[in-house]
Amino acid sequence: MTIDLSQFVPTFLEESFEGLALMEASLLDLENGDSETINSIFRAAHSIKGGAGTFGFSDVSEFTHLVETLLDEMRDGRRDIKPIDIELLLESVDCIRLMIEAIKDDVSFEKTKIEQIARLLTETLAVGVTTAKSGTVDPKDNNDNLVVDEPINLQESSDEKVKWLIKFIPEHHLIQTGNDPLLLFNALADLGEVGVVGFSTDLPSLSDIDAEEVYLSWELSLVTTASQAEIIEVFEWVEDECLLTLTRVASAEAAIKNVAAQPYVETQASIVSAEPAETARTAVVTNEADIKLEQTSVASAIENVSVVSAKTSEPSSPTKAKADAGSIRVGVDKVDSLINLVGELVITQSMLSELGNDFDLSKIEKLSSGLEQLLQNTKELQESVMRIRMLPISFAFNRFPRLVHDLSNKTGKAIELITQGEQTELDKTVMEQIGDPLTHLVRNAIDHGIEPAEVRLANNKPEKGTVALNAYHQGGSIVIEINDDGGGINRQAVFNKAVEKGIVDVNSTLTDSQVFDLIFEPGFSTAEKVSDISGRGVGMDVVKKNIQALGGRIQVESKQGIGTTVKINLPLTLAILDGQLVKVGSETYIIPLITIVESLQVRTDFINRVSGDMVLYRLREDNVPVIPIYKLFNIEAVITEVENALLVVVEADGQKIGLLVDDLLAQQQVVIKSLNDNYQQVEGISGATILGDGSVAMILDVPGMITMALRSAQQYQPHNHQAQPQFEGVQP
Amino acid sequence: MEHEQEYLTFKLNGEEYGVDILSVQEIRVWSSVTELPNKPNYLKGVINLRGVIIPIIDLRLRFGKEPLPYNEQTVTIILRDHNSDKNMVVGIVVDAVSEVYKFALQSIRQAPEFGSQIDSCFLKGLATVEGKLIILLDNNALLNQDELYSFEQQVLEVACE
C-alpha cells in the first residue's frame, strides 16, 4: 500500500503561503531586526524547500535552495545584510509564491522571471563567497538537484561515479510509521541513476495479507557521485525499521551494465519518458485498489516516481480538478467556546424535556424561563458559529508593508505605514474581496496623496509621509479607514473636471462630500488630480462597485494640505442580512435593509399616472416609478390599488423604485440560503431564508427587480398595450 | 441479487408509476409551499426541509395532466440524487403512494414509443406485477434540472407567441 501523498499537498501549499508571508514580513523588518528575524526567515525557507522536495516540486525546492543558501550565509554572519540583497530576497519570495500558486492552480508558470532571479541569486552567492573567503560552499554546486535536508558535505563527494548496491529489507510495519519506500527511492533517484529489483518472496497468501504492511524487499543499484553518508541520510528516518546494507561495487560503466543485465529492472529515466502522465496516473490508481500485492512491486513503484515528475514537468494539464475547497484555520479558543455552548444547550434541552414529562400549569413560569435560556443559548451559539468564519483583518493588511515598501522605492517618497486594529475580525468572504479595493486605495494615497519630500518640507510637514490603515467595529458593521497626510484632494479641480465632463452643472452648489463622491464616477480620471503614475489597475468607480457589491459604503473626507481619509463601511458577514419583512398576498418577502431609502403610506395626490399602467410617485423632487410586486412576480395580492398599499422606496445602482407591498412586518436578521443548490437562479430573487415559523421566505434582489421593471415598462409602450398574454412576465 | 431493483410505486391520474427506491429520501404529506415568482405552473414552490430549501413539483402538471385538488392522500416524495456531486434534492407531488415492488432487471421492458403527454425521456421502462402495469420513471432524468424544467418552458414559449 502506498500513502497517497497528494492529499497532503493542499496543506503543504497552505503552509508555504504562510511561510512566504512570514518571510516577506520579516525581510521588510530585517534591517532593524535581530538574529531571530533572519532565523525565522531561514526556517520558513527551509520548510518550503523540504516540503517541496517531499512532494516532488523540484523547481520550487531547487530555487528555494538558492535562497536558503544565501540566508544561511547571512545567518552565520558570513555575509553582511545589504538592502540590495533584501530586495533580491523579496523578489525571490515573489518567485516562490508564483511557483506555488502555479502548483495550486495546476498551471505552468512563467519561467523567465524565475530563471532570471535564480541567476541573480547564483551570482550573488558566488560573489559573496569569494569576498568572504569561507570556501565551505562551492557556488557551482548551488544548482545541484540535491534535495537533502541537512547541509551537504560536498568535500566527501568526488566527481567519479560510483555504483552502490543497496539491500533494503523493511520491517512489515514500515508504512504505519508514515514512511514510504517509494519516497526513499525517489530521493535516491535525485542522487543518481537508480535501478530497482523487488522481491516478493515473503509475500503471504492473499487471505493473510494486511494491506497496511510491507512484505516486499528491494535491491537497489545506485550510480552516483554522492558519498556514502548522503545515501545513508536518505534512509535516516527508516534506519531503525529496516535491514540496510550498502556495498560499493565498481565504477559507473560496470554498474550500468550490471543494471541493464538485471531482469525486471529499468532505469527510472526511461520510464519517465516512456510513460505518458495520464497512463501513469491511472496505473497508480488501479494499483492502489489492487489487492494483488505482487504488482505493487518495483514496476509500479517507479511509475509512481514518474507520476511525481510528470506533475512537475507538465503542470499545465487542464484535466485535473482543482483540489482547493478552501479551508479556515480556527483558533482552539473558538472551538472550545463552541463546545461549551453546546454543553449548555444540552443542559437546557434536558431541563426542558424533564419539565415536559409531567407538565402542569403551575410550571409555566419554569417553562418560560427555560425557553428564555434556550433563546439565549441559541443566540450565543449562532454568534460563535459565525465567529468561526471571522478572520482578523491583518490577513488583508499584511500585504501592505510590502506594497508600501515597493511603491516608496518606485516613487522616491519616504513613507511610513501605520496599521491599527489588525485584530478586528471580518468574514472570510468579505476579506477576500476587500483586498483589491484596499490595495487600490493605498496605492492612490501614495501616488496621489503623499507629496514629494521637497513639497512636504516646504509645507512644514515631516519629510516622511504617513499612510495609516485603521479598522474597527461600529455597530453591526466594520469600518476600515485609509488615511494619508498628503496634499488632500483639490476640491476645485475635481469640481471643474466634473463640470467639464458634464456630470454636474457649473452653477450647482455642492457640499464637500458631494464633490468628493464625484471621484467615484465612472470615467472620472484621477490623472487630473495629481500625478502621472495613475491609470493602473481598477479605477475608483470599480472600487466603489466592489464595495457596494459587498453591501458596503465608501466615503471620502479630505482637507487640502492636510490629508485625505477614505472610510469604508462593510457588513460583518455576507451570510446574514438585515432585512425588512413585507407581506404581499400570502407571501412574505424580505427586502435588504441597506437598499431601503424609506417606507411610506401612499398619498393620493402624489400619484402620477403616465402611459398605460405606469405609475410614478412624487417623492420630494424625485419621481419614483411604482412597481407592484404582485404584478412583477405574477402572484395574488390582497391590495391591488396603489392608493391603499404601502410603498417601500428602494435604491440600487443609483436608481430608485417604489415597491408596492400589502403590509410591513418586522425587521430582522435573516440567514441567507441559496436557491441554486436544488433549483436555479430566479430573477428578482437573490436567495431565500427560513423564518421563525419554519416557512421559506424569498429575499428580493433589488437591482434585479429594477431591471425586470424597466423591461416590463417597455412592454407597456402604447403599441404593445393590448391585453397581456396569459403568461405575462414568465418570459425573460 | 444484483439483478433486482426495488421500486416505490405511486398513483398518478389513475396510473401507477414507480421510482427507484434508492433515490427516495423520504415521503411527506403535502404541506404548504412558498411560491416562487414567475415560475412554470408545475413548480408549486419551495419548502424548508430541515434547513434545506427544496423545490416542489406537481408531477400531474409536469406530465400535462389535469390538476387534482390536494387531499389527505396527496403526498410529496422527496427524491435525492446520490450520483452527482451536487446532491440535488427535489420533491414531487403525487396522488398517493402505493407499494414497494422488487423487479428483476430483465423483467423490465422497454417502453414503446407512444405519443404520450409524458416526454419519453422520463420513461425507463414498463413492468407488470399482479396483473398491473407499472410505468417506471428514470430517476436520473427526473433529477436532471435541464430535463425537469425544460418541457414546460417550451410549452410556455409556444403559448406566448
Side-chain angles (χ1 to χ4, degrees):
Chain A
M1 195 187 103
T2 55
I3 293 175
D4 182 14
L5 264 184
S6 63
Q7 63 178 308
F8 302 116
V9 170
T11 318
F12 160 68
L13 295 175
E14 210 165 283
E15 283 177 0
S16 299
F17 284 126
E18 278 170 25
L20 287 169
L22 178 81
M23 281 173 79
E24 192 167 72
S26 307
L27 278 168
L28 291 170
D29 209 28
L30 195 57
E31 272 162 336
N32 35 21
D34 50 15
S35 62
E36 188 43 40
T37 319
I38 182 105
N39 276 337
S40 64
I41 304 173
F42 180 80
R43 276 196 301 271
H46 187 74
S47 322
I48 293 172
K49 189 185 86 168
T54 311
F55 294 107
F57 303 129
S58 58
D59 290 344
V60 179
S61 62
E62 278 165 33
F63 187 89
T64 319
H65 179 72
L66 295 177
V67 177
E68 195 192 0
T69 317
L70 185 63
L71 284 166
D72 192 32
E73 286 175 14
M74 288 178 171
R75 187 176 65 152
D76 292 355
R78 272 179 282 146
R79 175 189 290 275
D80 294 333
I81 299 167
K82 283 177 292 204
I84 184 160
D85 290 340
I86 294 179
E87 287 302 318
L88 182 61
L89 285 170
L90 281 173
E91 297 254 12
S92 312
V93 169
D94 290 346
C95 288
I96 300 170
R97 186 174 290 137
L98 205 70
M99 287 190 272
I100 292 182
E101 268 165 8
I103 293 166
K104 184 179 160 208
D105 300 340
D106 207 4
V107 293
S108 59
F109 47 81
E110 187 68 50
K111 280 230 162 70
T112 42
K113 193 194 171 194
I114 287 152
E115 277 163 7
Q116 182 197 344
I117 300 290
R119 205 165 45 242
L120 276 175
L121 277 170
T122 322
E123 279 166 18
T124 315
L125 281 170
V127 172
V129 170
T130 41
T131 47
K133 290 206 192 317
S134 73
T136 41
V137 180
D138 192 350
K140 77 166 187 268
D141 278 314
N142 286 327
N143 268 331
D144 208 315
N145 270 2
L146 297 182
V147 187
V148 185
D149 267 351
E150 293 297 316
I152 309 143
N153 200 346
L154 289 165
Q155 277 87 351
E156 263 190 46
S157 65
S158 64
D159 278 348
E160 197 196 341
K161 287 201 170 179
V162 177
K163 186 193 175 188
W164 297 86
L165 205 63
I166 304 162
K167 236 192 180 138
F168 176 54
I169 308 172
E171 287 179 20
H172 290 343
H173 62 263
L174 182 81
I175 287 179
Q176 287 157 14
T177 58
N179 292 296
D180 187 343
L182 189 57
L183 292 178
L184 300 172
F185 301 163
N186 206 354
L188 279 179
D190 283 342
L191 295 178
E193 288 173 58
V194 181
V196 189
V197 193
F199 296 98
S200 53
T201 42
D202 290 346
L203 202 64
S205 66
L206 188 60
S207 53
D208 295 332
I209 284 181
D210 180 341
E212 289 180 17
E213 303 222 314
V214 187
Y215 300 100
L216 303 174
S217 57
W218 289 273
E219 228 176 81
L220 302 104
S221 61
L222 173 67
V223 183
T224 177
T225 56
S227 67
Q228 181 170 3
E230 285 172 58
I231 299 170
I232 289 177
E233 201 185 297
V234 170
F235 293 93
E236 197 180 348
W237 296 101
V238 295
E239 260 173 346
D240 302 337
E241 294 161 64
C242 70
L243 214 65
L244 186 70
T245 47
L246 194 62
T247 26
R248 189 173 163 150
V249 189
S251 65
E253 289 85 338
I256 291 164
K257 262 183 220 153
N258 205 345
V259 168
Q262 298 269 13
Y264 303 115
V265 174
E266 294 187 65
T267 55
Q268 182 216 2
S270 69
I271 291 202
V272 171
S273 51
E275 288 279 347
E278 214 46 62
T279 32
R281 211 167 285 149
T282 343
V284 177
V285 174
T286 39
N287 150 20
E288 264 166 19
D290 210 331
I291 320 165
K292 279 190 219 153
L293 265 185
E294 287 144 286
Q295 296 199 347
T296 333
S297 72
V298 195
S300 55
I302 301 181
E303 272 168 8
N304 256 329
V305 173
S306 76
V307 170
V308 177
S309 40
K311 251 189 189 163
T312 32
S313 59
E314 294 174 46
S316 54
S317 124
T319 45
K320 225 181 117 215
K322 248 189 173 180
D324 182 27
S327 62
I328 305 182
R329 288 200 172 197
V330 182
V332 178
D333 56 324
K334 286 184 180 174
V335 178
D336 282 348
S337 85
L338 262 185
I339 290 169
N340 282 341
L341 284 171
V342 172
E344 276 175 44
L345 193 67
V346 170
I347 293 168
T348 313
Q349 187 268 331
S350 65
M351 191 259 276
L352 281 174
S353 61
E354 198 171 305
L355 200 63
N357 273 348
D358 63 316
F359 186 76
D360 61 64
L361 280 179
S362 65
K363 292 179 181 165
I364 198 113
E365 203 162 306
K366 249 183 152 179
L367 176 70
S368 81
S369 84
L371 287 174
E372 187 80 15
Q373 203 173 326
L374 186 68
L375 178 78
Q376 194 63 33
N377 288 154
T378 323
K379 253 191 191 156
E380 282 175 17
L381 195 62
Q382 187 196 9
E383 272 168 28
S384 291
V385 172
M386 295 312 295
R387 266 183 48 208
I388 288 189
R389 280 189 65 83
M390 300 297 230
L391 296 172
I393 198 157
S394 53
F395 278 88
F397 279 4
N398 276 346
R399 63 165 93 173
F400 293 119
R402 175 72 192 279
L403 180 80
V404 172
H405 173 91
D406 286 357
L407 279 177
S408 165
N409 281 352
K410 215 171 270 175
T411 56
K413 299 172 185 170
I415 289 153
E416 189 181 1
L417 178 76
I418 301 171
T419 50
Q420 275 176 308
E422 288 118 313
Q423 289 311 309
T424 317
E425 289 188 327
L426 189 61
D427 188 276
K428 187 172 184 281
T429 329
V430 181
M431 181 90 68
E432 279 160 3
Q433 292 174 39
I434 196 65
D436 288 338
L438 276 184
T439 310
H440 184 78
L441 291 170
V442 170
R443 201 144 49 181
N444 255 5
I446 295 171
D447 275 359
H448 310 304
I450 307 280
E451 319 93 319
E454 49 275 23
V455 181
R456 292 183 66 87
L457 287 173
N459 287 337
N460 277 336
K461 282 185 182 177
E463 188 183 344
K464 205 170 194 181
T466 309
V467 174
L469 290 169
N470 190 11
Y472 54 90
H473 284 292
Q474 195 177 60
S477 58
I478 184 171
V479 182
I480 305 172
E481 284 182 0
I482 299 112
N483 178 23
D484 68 71
D485 68 343
I489 299 173
N490 185 338
R491 187 187 189 282
Q492 200 53 46
V494 172
F495 186 76
N496 291 347
K497 183 84 185 176
V499 172
E500 184 188 312
K501 288 240 161 202
I503 300 169
V504 290
D505 189 70
V506 70
N507 294 319
S508 55
T509 47
L510 297 174
T511 64
D512 278 1
S513 68
Q514 277 173 323
V515 172
F516 296 144
D517 265 354
L518 290 172
I519 63 172
F520 295 114
E521 289 291 324
F524 198 93
S525 164
T526 43
E528 165 72 18
K529 230 172 57 191
V530 201
S531 88
D532 49 275
I533 317 173
S534 70
R536 240 184 316 193
V538 287
M540 288 299 261
D541 59 318
V542 181
V543 169
K544 187 174 188 180
K545 221 176 247 168
N546 284 350
I547 286 165
Q548 280 177 338
L550 291 171
R553 278 175 296 136
I554 183 165
Q555 94 209 64
V556 185
E557 288 161 30
S558 180
K559 283 227 166 68
Q560 200 156 9
I562 294 176
T564 308
T565 302
V566 181
K567 216 171 173 182
I568 299 170
N569 263 286
L570 289 171
L572 276 180
T573 170
L574 296 180
I576 287 190
L577 173 129
D578 277 309
Q580 167 74 55
L581 273 59
V582 298
K583 196 106 192 153
V584 180
S586 57
E587 298 294 331
T588 306
Y589 290 102
I590 291 151
I591 304 177
L593 217 48
I594 194 156
T595 62
I596 298 182
V597 180
E598 61 182 294
S599 306
L600 44 93
Q601 201 109 40
V602 174
R603 279 183 54 180
T604 333
D605 47 334
F606 284 175
I607 298 173
N608 261 319
R609 283 179 201 281
V610 287
S611 69
D613 282 352
M614 195 67 181
V615 177
L616 293 178
Y617 189 82
R618 190 145 58 82
L619 185 72
R620 289 177 290 277
E621 64 268 33
D622 269 351
N623 269 322
V624 181
V626 172
I627 311 293
I629 293 182
Y630 74 92
K631 241 181 216 168
L632 200 64
F633 283 177
N634 224 4
I635 55 172
E636 301 275 322
V638 178
I639 304 171
T640 49
E641 308 90 46
V642 181
E643 289 76 9
N644 299 329
L646 291 169
L647 194 66
V648 181
V649 182
V650 293
E651 183 175 9
D653 302 334
Q655 178 113 26
K656 279 187 195 141
I657 56 168
L659 297 174
L660 215 55
V661 302
D662 289 356
D663 199 4
L664 286 177
L665 306 172
Q667 285 181 5
Q668 70 176 62
Q669 288 199 324
V670 296
V671 179
I672 303 171
K673 303 222 169 225
S674 163
L675 277 179
N676 284 5
D677 292 348
N678 292 310
Y679 187 53
Q680 49 214 146
Q681 194 63 45
V682 179
E683 196 179 21
I685 299 289
S686 65
T689 191
I690 292 162
L691 297 178
D693 62 357
S695 65
V696 181
M698 298 296 147
I699 302 168
L700 299 182
D701 167 25
V702 173
M705 290 179 80
I706 292 177
T707 327
M708 282 170 85
L710 289 178
R711 205 173 41 228
S712 64
Q714 281 159 6
Q715 278 180 21
Y716 285 111
Q717 294 298 316
H719 69 272
N720 203 7
H721 187 53
Q722 308 110 358
Q724 291 297 309
Q726 197 193 339
F727 293 96
E728 167 213 342
V730 174
Q731 283 311 298
Chain B
M1 287 301 282
E2 285 173 24
H3 303 297
E4 281 184 342
Q5 240 177 350
E6 278 189 289
Y7 279 84
L8 173 78
T9 66
F10 56 85
K11 295 253 171 61
L12 194 74
N13 203 27
E15 305 289 346
E16 199 158 340
Y17 290 84
V19 284
D20 184 355
I21 203 157
L22 292 178
S23 61
V24 176
Q25 178 183 315
E26 61 187 276
I27 300 169
R28 295 167 55 86
V29 291
W30 163 257
S31 59
S32 69
V33 297
T34 300
E35 283 190 36
L36 287 171
N38 299 328
K39 41 145 183 78
N41 69 338
Y42 58 82
L43 182 66
K44 300 310 288 182
V46 292
I47 59 160
N48 158 32
L49 185 68
R50 294 182 290 276
V52 182
I53 292 173
I54 295 171
I56 301 295
I57 283 167
D58 187 317
L59 213 57
R60 268 179 174 267
L61 295 172
R62 179 65 187 86
F63 286 173
K65 314 268 194 231
E66 284 304 305
L68 191 76
Y70 295 157
N71 56 27
E72 61 271 20
Q73 294 260 297
T74 311
V75 292
T76 310
I77 302 174
I78 309 288
L79 300 175
R80 177 184 284 274
D81 181 7
H82 293 283
N83 299 324
S84 76
D85 305 334
K86 274 192 75 183
N87 241 335
M88 186 181 139
V89 186
V90 69
I92 54 172
V93 180
V94 301
D95 294 357
V97 279
S98 176
E99 299 273 349
V100 174
Y101 292 116
K102 216 175 256 183
F103 296 119
L105 277 186
Q106 59 265 32
S107 75
I108 298 176
R109 271 163 296 153
Q110 197 75 37
E113 287 294 325
F114 50 106
S116 131
Q117 277 169 296
I118 305 176
D119 353 12
S120 51
C121 68
F122 285 126
L123 284 188
K124 187 175 186 177
L126 296 167
T128 21
V129 66
E130 295 158 12
K132 292 183 290 187
L133 190 67
I134 291 171
I135 305 162
L136 303 181
L137 297 175
D138 182 356
N139 52 304
N140 286 331
L142 268 177
L143 282 162
N144 182 317
Q145 289 207 354
D146 295 337
E147 290 184 20
L148 193 54
Y149 302 123
S150 67
F151 175 63
E152 195 71 18
Q153 218 76 33
Q154 293 161 5
V155 173
L156 285 179
E157 271 158 30
V158 172
C160 281
E161 272 163 14

